[in-house]
Amino acid sequence: MRMNILIIGSGGREHALAWKIAQSSRVEKLFIAPGNAGTAQTGTNVNISVSDFEKLGTFAAESALK
């Protein structure tokens, strides 16, 4: 079973997580909100603030169905 994953944040830790998670064969799509230049190389940055819980929840729910 392949998964869509959303990482929330824009720092170095999120980049390290995205880099490693992207290597898994179980990952279908990897999203990072809001992400940074480094995370853009491993997944798809999503322009949603880390404190906008409503938009993050909506995006996560919609992305799970794609």
Side-chain angles (χ1 to χ4, degrees):
M1 177 178 187
R2 293 175 53 100
M3 302 176 275
N4 293 341
I5 298 173
L6 171 62
I7 297 173
I8 301 170
S10 60
R13 280 174 259 176
E14 290 78 18
H15 177 238
L17 285 168
W19 174 77
K20 191 60 180 176
I21 290 170
Q23 295 175 20
S24 173
S25 62
R26 294 182 179 183
V27 175
E28 180 75 27
K29 295 179 184 173
L30 177 60
F31 302 100
I32 308 94
N36 61 42
T39 59
Q41 296 175 359
T42 59
T44 302
N45 286 346
V46 181
N47 191 19
I48 302 174
S49 171
V50 296
S51 60
D52 193 339
F53 303 115
E54 186 174 333
K55 283 185 181 177
L56 287 168
T58 300
F59 179 81
E62 290 174 354
S63 297
L65 302 175
K66 293 180 183 178

